[in-house]
Structure formats: C-alpha cells, structure tokens
Amino acid sequence: MPPLDPAVAATRRAVRRALRGRGERRVIVALSGGADSLALAAATAFEAPRLGIVAGAVVVDHGLQQGSDSAAAAAAAQARKLGLDPVEVRSVVVESGGGPESAARTARYAALASAAAAAGEGSPALILTGHTRDDQAEQVLLALARGSGTRSIAGIPAIGSAEGVPVLRPFLDEASEVTRAVTVAACAAQSLEPWSDPHNRDAVYARVRVRERILPLIDRELGPEVRGALARSADLAREDADALDAIASVTVDRLLAAAGGHAVEAPEMTVRVPVQVLLAEPAAIRNRIIRGVSAAFGGYLGREHTRAVAALVTDWRGQKPVFVPGVRVTRRAEELVFARQIGSPRD
C-alpha cells in the first residue's frame, strides 16, 4: 500500500483532532468549492464515519457573479462523490450595505446556521469551515493596519458560533500544520478540482491585496515562516483577550444584576457604576467594563467612544454627559450613570 500523501495526512489529522471528543453526532462542511473547503470536505468524509459522526455539506451560492450556480453545483457533485450526505446547495440574496464582503459573510453564515438547525436531531449540527493559518495571518495584518486591539488581533477563532450554532475551524487549531499550500496539495493528491473564485483575485478588496501583494513581499524580505508567526500572534492575543474579557465580565454581570438584568429593556432603566470600581482597575479592564455595560443597552463602543466615557473617571473636570452609540453616560458625584440614549443629544 503506497504511503499516504503528507498533505492529505495533515488535513485528516487536523479534522480528527478537532472532532474527537465532541458531543455532536452530525456535522456539515461549509463548502465553497475552493481548495481549502474541498480539502476539508475530503478529510471530513474520511474521518467522520470512523468517529461515528454523520457528515454532510452545504454549498452557499451567493449569486454575485455569472456562473456561480454552475460552480456551486460542481462543488456539490464532488462532495457527494467523496461520500458526504446530505449535500445541498443554498442560494442566498446578499444585501447591500456594510461592504460586499461583510454582507456576503452575513448571508453565508445565516444559510449555514439554518442548514445546521435543519440537519440536527434535537440540536444543530456542527458547522465546519476550511479557514487556514494563512487566513489567520491575513486577518492579523488587517487588524494591525486598522489599529485594532487584542480581540481583533486574535483573528478568526478556531471554535465559534453563527446565530447560536457552533462553528469549528479544524485547520486554525494552533497544532494544525495546514496552510493554503497544503490544501492545494491535498486536493491534487486526491484528484479533486478546486474552483478559483474570481473575487479572491480582485484587488479592490483589502484582503486580496494583503494575500497577493503584502504577504508575498513579507515572504521575500523576512521569510515564509512569518505567516506562522502572525498566526501564533493571533493565538497569544486570543489567550490574553479571553482572560481580560472573563475578568471584566465578573464586574459587568454584578453591575447589571444590581440594575435588574442583563438586557436593559425599559427606557428609564439605568446602571450605576461606582467610580472607585473603575479607578481600581487597569485601563484594559476598565474599558471592557465600560463596553460591557454599554452593550446591555445595545451600544457597541469603539476606542474613541470608550475613551470619552473613561475620561469621566480618570479626567473628571465637571464634564457634561457623554453621548455614545445607544447610551448616555453621566457622572453624578462618585458614580457613572448609564442610561439608554433616546433621540439626539442636546447642548
């Protein structure tokens, strides 16, 4: 018996490691037809039955380019040939607004979550996606270019969720050896024919420019191992971000419970935060508490908004209330009072 191709072996190890020990008995592969998801489909088709797991696939046709339906049908045919069952193609409408990539992602994950809910027996099936460590390196560079914090630099999580449905990305695990080159090699070794999405070569997208121009330049100047180093930076940033979020959430939960709950629905409801509680924390925790309390009102604060609220604590000079998305924050004596923002602020 000939030795197993190294690329095929790497993809199978990653899937086996990711699925072993999980409770889900059904999984669906999010299949685009590209090399990454096709290699994932092949590895899942091999490993899932050996773990007692039923594995299918869903191909999402975004309808954004001519011939997308044919590409989706071809991907579905290869999935069936691999032995995945059931396999279905779901067509979606990509709404305008928020940028084409974001809108397509939202539509895609909504379709996957719906398919997973329908496929499960009592609970949703587990969604598998084919993101690789190369995707992670790209995500880190994009986050750094935007001046983001640890949560964004943490990149794409290996374990996540979409509309309450669990999502697993086997090739993103820190122990994974799977890069984009590996998935291409794995497809070639198994006579699989990946589809090349024209959008993945369109330089109008920042991610494509990072992939096609910036990372190759880094490879030439600093060496190809930098991609792995960037992905490791994401792993380290995620550990820190998870720890800081957990520490801050203890205080946020206590403050919200004192105010009557985690979802502040009544327009007149307020959350009172003692200034000394915030002063006692380092900035990383203080800012997370501010964002966590604001989120209870539906407010999602960026860096500048958070700093404006924090200044009521650290640089108090009798300022007027701070109006940030969804929230009005007022300092009253030794408390910050968070309330829902109704209408526009007045001077």
Side-chain angles (χ1 to χ4, degrees):
M1 185 176 182
L4 185 62
D5 179 84
V8 175
T11 59
R12 290 180 180 179
R13 276 195 302 271
V15 168
R16 183 167 61 249
R17 187 166 49 239
L19 292 181
R20 186 187 292 131
R22 293 192 61 93
E24 295 91 353
R25 294 295 90 193
R26 289 180 176 271
V27 301
I28 60 171
V29 176
L31 180 60
S32 69
D36 297 344
S37 64
L38 199 53
L40 174 65
T44 303
F46 181 85
E47 294 291 342
R50 290 161 174 77
L51 296 170
I53 296 173
V54 176
V58 173
V59 184
V60 178
D61 177 11
H62 300 86
L64 294 176
Q65 52 205 331
Q66 188 173 5
S68 64
D69 54 345
S70 298
Q78 292 195 84
R80 294 187 185 99
K81 190 174 180 179
L82 287 167
L84 295 175
D85 183 43
V87 175
E88 64 173 311
V89 175
R90 291 206 172 198
S91 299
V92 298
V93 176
V94 178
E95 302 291 344
S96 60
E101 287 181 292
S102 177
R105 187 183 309 110
T106 297
R108 178 167 61 254
Y109 275 105
L112 291 170
S114 174
E121 295 179 343
S123 60
L126 177 67
I127 299 170
L128 304 183
T129 76
H131 295 86
T132 70
R133 302 287 276 176
D134 290 87
D135 293 304
Q136 195 71 291
E138 294 164 12
Q139 191 73 12
V140 172
L141 284 178
L142 288 167
L144 289 170
R146 291 191 295 263
S148 303
T150 51
R151 178 53 66 193
S152 290
I153 295 170
I156 311 163
I159 301 174
S161 65
E163 300 191 4
V165 176
V167 178
L168 192 62
R169 303 175 175 97
F171 299 159
L172 284 188
D173 185 86
E174 190 170 358
S176 172
E177 314 149 73
V178 180
T179 63
R180 190 167 294 127
V182 169
T183 64
V184 170
C187 287
Q190 298 171 97
S191 300
L192 299 172
E193 298 181 8
W195 175 59
S196 180
D197 185 346
H199 284 172
N200 290 335
R201 300 188 303 275
D202 189 343
V204 71
Y205 300 112
R207 183 176 297 278
V208 174
R209 296 195 297 275
V210 168
R211 179 181 302 152
E212 300 292 332
R213 301 175 185 175
I214 307 302
L215 276 172
L217 176 62
I218 291 175
D219 288 346
R220 290 194 300 271
E221 298 297 329
L222 299 178
E225 66 275 4
V226 171
R227 296 181 187 231
L230 288 168
R232 285 194 298 277
S233 292
D235 297 329
L236 294 168
R238 187 175 306 105
E239 290 175 1
D240 290 349
D242 287 347
L244 293 169
D245 287 351
I247 293 168
S249 69
V250 173
T251 299
V252 172
D253 288 347
R254 176 168 53 81
L255 292 167
L256 295 181
H262 283 62
V264 183
E265 297 178 357
E268 69 277 8
M269 184 68 77
T270 60
V271 177
R272 298 177 179 274
V273 182
V275 168
Q276 288 304 316
V277 168
L278 295 173
L279 278 175
E281 299 290 359
I285 303 299
R286 181 188 309 127
N287 292 340
R288 281 170 166 79
I289 293 171
I290 289 170
R291 289 195 293 269
V293 173
S294 298
F297 294 90
Y300 295 93
L301 277 55
R303 174 70 171 174
E304 293 306 312
H305 293 134
T306 305
R307 290 183 63 191
V309 175
L312 297 176
V313 175
T314 61
D315 188 25
W316 173 240
R317 293 172 283 103
Q319 297 98 306
K320 292 181 178 181
V322 172
F323 293 86
V324 293
V327 188
R328 181 185 73 248
V329 187
T330 307
R331 177 156 176 172
R332 296 177 184 166
E334 293 304 303
E335 290 183 325
L336 291 192
V337 180
F338 289 71
R340 188 182 306 281
Q341 181 178 335
I342 301 176
S344 301
R346 294 182 179 178
D347 294 334

